[in-house]
Amino acid sequence: MVKAFYTAVIALIIVVLSSFYEQIYLKKSFEEFREVTLEVYSKTEEQTAIKDDVLAVQNLWLEKKKTLHVFIPHNDIKEVDLWISEAVTLVEKKMWEDALSKLEVVIEMSEQIPKTYTLKLENIL
């Protein structure tokens, strides 16, 4: 009986610590991604961005999403893929306003996705 109790307590501790790690990892990953995207957004506003700038954002995202698949649904990841891909093409064609709108969505998603998966009562219920 005592062993079962200790086992349950240890399992609970592991779950709680894993949840905290997940939250920290998601927040850190998306903050880094957001910062790089904001830099490219600024360059796009100034109309000095080039395709390689947006490709750098895309490459960072490709690297991050390898592990993010474990924590967030594939649909969210696919949406970010889509918006970044469109931004690459628009910057290449120098369609600045359209590129800015795509990058704004990517920036907003980089804020909202981690919030969606944080441990909050509103997300659990």
Side-chain angles (χ1 to χ4, degrees), residues 44-60:
T44 306
E45 276 185 318
E46 298 165 359
Q47 298 182 357
T48 60
I50 59 174
K51 180 180 177 181
D52 289 341
D53 294 330
V54 188
L55 284 175
V57 171
Q58 189 175 42
N59 290 333
L60 176 62

Side-chain angles (χ1 to χ4, degrees), residues 28-55:
K28 182 180 173 189
S29 293
F30 278 100
E31 282 177 355
E32 181 183 346
F33 175 67
R34 184 174 182 273
E35 286 175 19
V36 172
T37 307
L38 283 169
E39 289 175 21
V40 173
Y41 183 87
S42 295
K43 283 183 155 185
T44 306
E45 276 185 318
E46 298 165 359
Q47 298 182 357
T48 60
I50 59 174
K51 180 180 177 181
D52 289 341
D53 294 330
V54 188
L55 284 175

Side-chain angles (χ1 to χ4, degrees), residues 23-39 60-61 64 68 106-107 109-115 118:
Q23 300 305 303
I24 292 167
Y25 180 79
L26 281 175
K27 184 177 179 186
K28 182 180 173 189
S29 293
F30 278 100
E31 282 177 355
E32 181 183 346
F33 175 67
R34 184 174 182 273
E35 286 175 19
V36 172
T37 307
L38 283 169
E39 289 175 21
L60 176 62
W61 175 248
K64 297 259 179 228
L68 290 174
V106 172
I107 292 166
M109 290 178 80
S110 70
E111 292 175 19
Q112 295 305 318
I113 290 174
K115 288 180 184 177
T118 55

